[in-house]
């Protein structure tokens, strides 16, 4: 089976710093794949290079086996990729429901004239989008916030709303950059259940996360980055036992590994 | 677009088995608090429609405004819509309004002055030219962000003004005289009253259409672009196209405004299209509320009234002030509003409506302590947070 999403040998440097060195990953439908590594390992850069927000210097990005390297973010969205950002990027002046509706932008196909005239078919599209958005909010446990301004929400709620925005369009690949950072224990539970459900429905989930409990509990496959290089790939049991990983990452202190990092 | 699905916090759901009065109150409270906007556009249209219809009565009654101000207010409203969309919704400080307004005005002036073509057709030509120019400008301009965009568009604005002043066909500061008025069939728009109604029918239609636009997925994409381009784009909304769309809509509306102005005044000269216009509009839009289309006419009329009042009464209060006094006043008002009420009259209005809505909701939620058959009907108390 062709992986739904694949990145091969991505290279990216900032000035002299090599943020990614031949970094590769391959994710499949129905799977939760975790990307872990110490701070500065290049995880966020990896996301940016595959979502089109940054251009890799070399390497390939494939969606369903098709080469889409260098495609801009809206193109990746059209191809079924959705993502969240490490530093939550909501639209602060819009309410929560409208924020999530932006995630459904591509599902409303009517043009500006239809929108200006409020044609019946546009109204129907809007209504359908609205109920999808509310369902997405429901799934993230934030439906009661629908009419609050996004900028006024506590950090944890903002993260959940951002996840709702990413999943409302039914992405085939979902990239989450530290989604559990700043969540309360209750919110983190909702998140874990949600990710399992999303994967069960068929999406491929690529998860950057410092909370090892979440990673070990959810991921079927883990890729470990260190200084821009992939130092290990495998199921959680193997990764935990891998001496290279322990030295580079878990070796920082086994106790620390359980905490919610992302300071 | 109703928001009946997923009632937000504090929204009173329409329960069944409740008295009709209570239902009306509950609904009214939701509308006032902005939880439902199904009625807002209708209410806005009715209020503005009545205001416009009665203009011939109340404008002259002020003592310093005339029906000419009524016509100008409609024209400024058309111009202001573009600014609300660009600055308020999309967050793009693109200040080319004087150029697109001028293109519309000169299209009408040049093409109709010797009765060469029908003024309505000339208006259409102006729109087409403006759209082509806007598309051509969008490609270089919207590669720029923030200050760079503002400075580049000011360059375009100055270029436009210079062309209007220097091009052989525009008559420069001497202008073009004898532009015929508009007509529909055998009816010629001559009186200020006819012009007021014509201009406002167009302005209100544009307001309604753009209000529909901003409450659609396009409007959400505009706000998204102003909030976070990265997130907008990874949601599938292309910032470049959204900005270009808004820029084109703004240019087309300014073009109509320019054509109307030329046909109404019968005369155009370059001095109508300098940056004073841009500043005046900026003040009107900020006073109305950068993100409010419905409040725009109030901002426009408020500033027109203030400037007329200053010109009428200013010299007697502060001697030795000439016709420049409104410009000084604009600067003061702009700063005051930005500091004190950055949301403009719109946010003040929303706040008042919200307070009223809370009051109505409280009344609607009161259990029936009234005598049987009393005002509040059956006892179905509303639990509110
Ligand atoms: N925009 C940028 N400019 C310069 N250096 C950057 C930029 N983004 C990331 N880096 C550098 O690239 C490396 C990887 O960063 P990042 O991808 O954010 O790591 P992670 O997400 O794993 O913590 C770090 O050394 C960081 O300083
Ligand atoms: Mg990171």
């Amino acid at each position: 089976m062709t992986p739904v999403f694949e990145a091969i040998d991505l290279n990216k440097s900032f000035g002299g710093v090599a943020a990614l060195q031949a970094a590769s990953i391959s994710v499949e439908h129905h799977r939760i794949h975790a990307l872990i590594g110490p701070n500065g390992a290049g995880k966020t850069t990896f996301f940016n290079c595959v979502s089109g927000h940054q251009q890799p210097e070399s390497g390939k990005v494939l969606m369903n086996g098709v080469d889409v390297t260098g495609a801009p973010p809206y193109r990746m969205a059209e191809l079924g990729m959705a993502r969240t950002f490490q530093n939550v990027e909501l639209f602060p002046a819009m309410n929560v429901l409208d924020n999530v509706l932006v995630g459904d932008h591509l599902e409303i196909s009517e043009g500006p004239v239809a929108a200006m005239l409020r044609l019946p078919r546009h109204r129907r599209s809007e209504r359908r989008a609205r109920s999808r958005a509310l369902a997405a909010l429901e799934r993230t446990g934030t439906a009661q916030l629908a009419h609050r301004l996004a900028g006024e929400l506590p950090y944890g709620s903002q993260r959940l709303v951002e996840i709702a925005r990413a999943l409302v369009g039914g992405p085939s690949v979902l990239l989450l950059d530290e989604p559990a950072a700043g969540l309360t224990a209750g919110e983190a539970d909702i998140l874990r259940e949600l990710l399992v459900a999303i994967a069960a429905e068929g999406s491929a989930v690529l998860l950057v996360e410092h909370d090892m409990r979440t990673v070990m509990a959810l991921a079927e496959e883990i890729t470990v980055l260190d200084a821009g290089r992939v130092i290990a790939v495998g199921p959680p049991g193997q990764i935990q036992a891998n001496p290279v990983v322990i030295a580079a990452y878990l070796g920082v202190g086994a106790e620390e590994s359980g905490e919610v990092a992302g300071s | 677009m109703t928001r009946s699905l997923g009632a937000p916090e504090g929204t009173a759901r329409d329960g069944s088995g409740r008295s009709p009065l209570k239902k009306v109150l509950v609904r009214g409270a939701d509308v006032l608090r902005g939880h439902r906007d199904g009625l807002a556009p209708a209410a806005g249209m009715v209020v503005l429609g009545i205001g416009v219809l009665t203009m011939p009565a109340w404008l002259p009654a002020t003592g310093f405004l005339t029906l000419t101000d009524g016509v100008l207010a409609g024209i400024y409203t058309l111009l202001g819509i573009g600014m609300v969309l660009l600055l308020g919704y999309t967050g793009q400080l693109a200040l080319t309004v004087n150029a697109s307004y001028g293109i519309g005005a000169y299209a009408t002036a040049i093409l109709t002055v010797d009765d060469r073509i029908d003024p309505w057709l000339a208006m259409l030509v102006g729109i087409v030219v403006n759209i082509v120019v806007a598309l051509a400008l969008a490609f270089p301009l919207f590669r720029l962000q923030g200050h760079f965009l503002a400075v580049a568009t000011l360059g375009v604005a100055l270029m436009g003004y210079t062309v209007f002043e220097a091009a052989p066909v525009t008559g420069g500061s001497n202008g073009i005289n004898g532009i015929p008025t508009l007509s529909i069939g055998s009816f010629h728009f001559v009186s200020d009253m006819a012009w007021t109604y014509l201009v406002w029918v167009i302005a209100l239609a544009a307001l309604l259409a753009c209000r529909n636009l901003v409450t659609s997925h396009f409007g959400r994409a505009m706000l998204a672009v102003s909030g976070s381009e990265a997130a907008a784009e990874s949601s599938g909304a292309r910032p470049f196209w959204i900005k270009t769309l808004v820029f084109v809509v703004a240019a087309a509306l300014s073009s109509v405004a320019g054509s109307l102005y030329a046909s109404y005044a019968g005369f155009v000269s370059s001095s109508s299209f300098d940056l004073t216009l841009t500043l005046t509009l900026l003040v009107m839009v900020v006073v109305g509320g950068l993100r409010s289309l419905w409040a725009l006419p109030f901002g426009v009329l408020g500033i027109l009234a203030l400037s007329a009042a200053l010109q009428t009464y200013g010299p007697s209060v502060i001697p030795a002030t000439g016709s420049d006094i409104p410009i000084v006043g604009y600067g003061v008002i702009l700063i005051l509003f930005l500091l004190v009420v950055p949301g403009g009259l719109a946010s003040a209005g929303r706040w008042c409506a919200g307070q009223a809505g809370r009051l109505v909701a409280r009344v609607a939620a009161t259990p029936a302590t009234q005598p049987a058959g009393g005002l509040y009907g059956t006892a179905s108390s509303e639990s509110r947070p």
Side-chain angles (χ1 to χ4, degrees), chain A residues 44-122:
Chain A
T44 297
T45 304
F46 184 86
F47 270 19
N48 286 338
C49 284
V50 300
S51 69
H53 289 91
Q54 289 174 355
Q55 296 300 319
E57 279 135 26
S58 62
K60 270 188 182 171
V61 177
L62 309 178
M63 284 287 276
N64 293 310
V66 180
D67 188 345
V68 293
T69 316
Y74 69 84
R75 181 79 192 117
M76 296 308 290
E78 286 167 2
L79 291 166
M81 179 181 281
R83 69 167 292 183
T84 65
F85 296 84
Q86 185 174 345
N87 307 308
V88 185
E89 297 265 348
L90 284 181
F91 313 119
M94 299 167 84
N95 71 24
V96 164
L97 182 59
D98 283 347
N99 262 273
V100 176
L101 277 165
V102 173
D104 223 8
H105 185 80
L106 292 170
E107 302 296 317
I108 304 176
S109 54
E110 282 78 17
V113 176
M116 281 182 164
L117 298 179
R118 190 132 293 197
L119 296 182
R121 72 189 150 88
H122 179 253

Side-chain angles (χ1 to χ4, degrees), chain A residues 25 29 51 61 94 120 137 151 168 189 226 235-236 238 258:
Chain A
I25 217 166
H29 280 301
S51 69
V61 177
M94 299 167 84
L137 285 172
V168 68
D189 286 340
D226 186 31
Q238 267 182 34

Side-chain angles (χ1 to χ4, degrees), chain A residues 97 100 129-139 143 146-147 168, chain B residues 5-6:
Chain A
L97 182 59
V100 176
R130 187 164 287 262
S131 51
R132 280 193 300 267
L134 284 163
L137 285 172
E138 206 75 63
R139 295 188 79 177
H147 292 261
V168 68
Chain B
L5 287 161

Side-chain angles (χ1 to χ4, degrees), chain B:
Chain B
M1 186 168 57
T2 60
R3 293 179 179 170
S4 50
L5 287 161
E9 286 178 300
T11 299
R13 286 175 189 272
D14 300 327
S16 52
R18 201 183 286 160
S19 77
L21 174 65
K22 187 160 263 181
K23 272 188 196 162
V24 169
L25 284 178
V26 166
R27 230 198 137 106
D30 285 353
V31 170
L32 283 168
R33 286 181 297 174
H35 293 164
R36 257 172 216 274
D37 57 6
L39 288 181
M45 279 313 250
V46 168
V47 170
L48 287 174
I50 292 172
V52 168
L53 275 174
T54 54
M55 267 183 180
W58 63 266
L59 278 179
T62 57
F64 47 87
L65 287 171
T66 64
L67 263 183
T68 305
D69 294 304
V71 179
L72 287 180
I75 288 171
Y76 278 126
T77 297
L78 276 170
L79 294 171
I81 291 173
M83 222 174 227
V84 168
L85 297 184
L86 275 165
L87 266 70
Y89 279 88
T90 321
Q92 303 301 306
L93 200 52
L95 301 168
T96 56
V97 59
N98 68 317
S100 44
Y101 183 50
I103 289 173
Y106 281 111
T108 289
I110 293 165
L111 293 176
T112 66
V113 72
D114 298 320
D115 288 319
R116 266 174 238 168
I117 69 170
D118 185 80
W120 292 106
L121 191 61
M123 186 184 286
L124 199 65
V125 172
I127 295 173
V128 171
V129 172
N130 250 313
I131 290 177
V132 170
V133 170
L135 284 173
L137 285 173
F139 282 89
L141 286 180
F142 290 128
R143 284 167 190 280
L144 304 170
Q145 310 261 356
H147 313 336
F148 296 102
L149 176 71
V151 172
T153 57
L154 277 178
V156 171
L158 281 174
M159 259 165 55
Y161 176 69
T162 310
V163 170
F164 299 144
E165 203 172 41
V169 288
T170 61
S173 49
N174 293 326
I176 297 175
N177 238 319
I179 303 162
T181 191
L182 284 165
S183 45
I184 295 176
S186 59
F187 180 82
H188 302 283
F189 289 87
V190 179
S191 72
D192 276 351
M193 191 161 99
W195 266 101
T196 302
Y197 290 153
L198 172 68
V199 165
W200 276 101
V201 163
I202 296 172
L204 289 184
L207 273 178
L208 188 63
C210 289
R211 182 260 170 207
N212 285 345
L213 189 70
V214 300
T215 52
S216 75
H217 60 303
F218 288 106
R220 293 190 295 270
M222 291 175 206
L223 284 168
V225 165
S226 78
S228 162
E229 287 201 19
E233 199 170 0
S234 58
S235 301
R238 297 182 65 173
F240 176 79
W241 283 119
I242 295 296
K243 293 175 195 174
T244 303
L245 168 69
V246 177
F247 195 53
V248 164
V249 169
L253 292 176
S254 307
S255 188
V256 172
S259 291
L260 287 171
Y261 174 74
S263 297
Y264 169 68
F267 166 78
V268 292
S269 75
S270 56
S271 65
S272 301
F273 310 105
D274 63 8
L275 288 174
T276 315
L277 171 83
T278 313
L279 175 70
T280 309
L281 277 169
L282 205 55
V283 178
M284 289 169 167
V285 164
V286 166
V287 167
L290 265 171
R291 281 203 181 138
S292 175
L293 287 168
W294 292 124
L296 175 63
F298 296 94
V300 168
L301 274 164
I303 293 303
L304 278 178
L306 192 85
S307 105
L310 280 174
Q311 284 190 6
T312 309
Y313 305 119
S316 60
V317 180
I318 321 163
T321 53
S323 59
D324 284 341
I325 188 165
I327 294 290
V328 178
Y330 290 168
V332 176
I333 292 167
L334 191 62
I335 293 165
L336 269 182
F337 261 82
L338 287 173
L339 284 175
V340 184
V341 254
L345 295 175
S347 70
R350 255 194 297 274
W351 185 83
C352 294
Q355 294 297 319
R358 218 155 299 163
L359 204 72
V360 174
R362 201 164 305 147
V363 170
T366 315
T369 52
Q370 302 289 315
L375 185 61
Y376 299 103
T378 56
S380 71
S381 76
E382 189 69 41
S383 68
R384 288 169 25 78

Side-chain angles (χ1 to χ4, degrees), chain A residues 28-36 163 174 176 178-180 183 187-200 203-223 234-237 240:
Chain A
E28 279 167 28
H29 280 301
H30 293 289
R31 292 287 201 126
I32 298 177
H33 192 129
L35 178 61
I36 66 171
I163 293 166
L174 180 60
L176 301 170
E178 304 195 20
L183 297 195
E187 289 169 336
D189 286 340
I190 293 177
L191 175 69
R192 278 189 287 267
E193 272 176 41
L194 178 63
L195 295 188
V196 170
I198 292 170
S203 300
V205 178
L206 183 54
L207 176 70
V208 165
E209 188 48 64
H210 281 299
D211 178 24
M212 281 308 134
R213 249 178 341 123
T214 301
V215 169
M216 295 304 165
L218 296 185
E220 288 139 291
E221 182 115 315
I222 297 176
T223 295
Q240 269 170 314

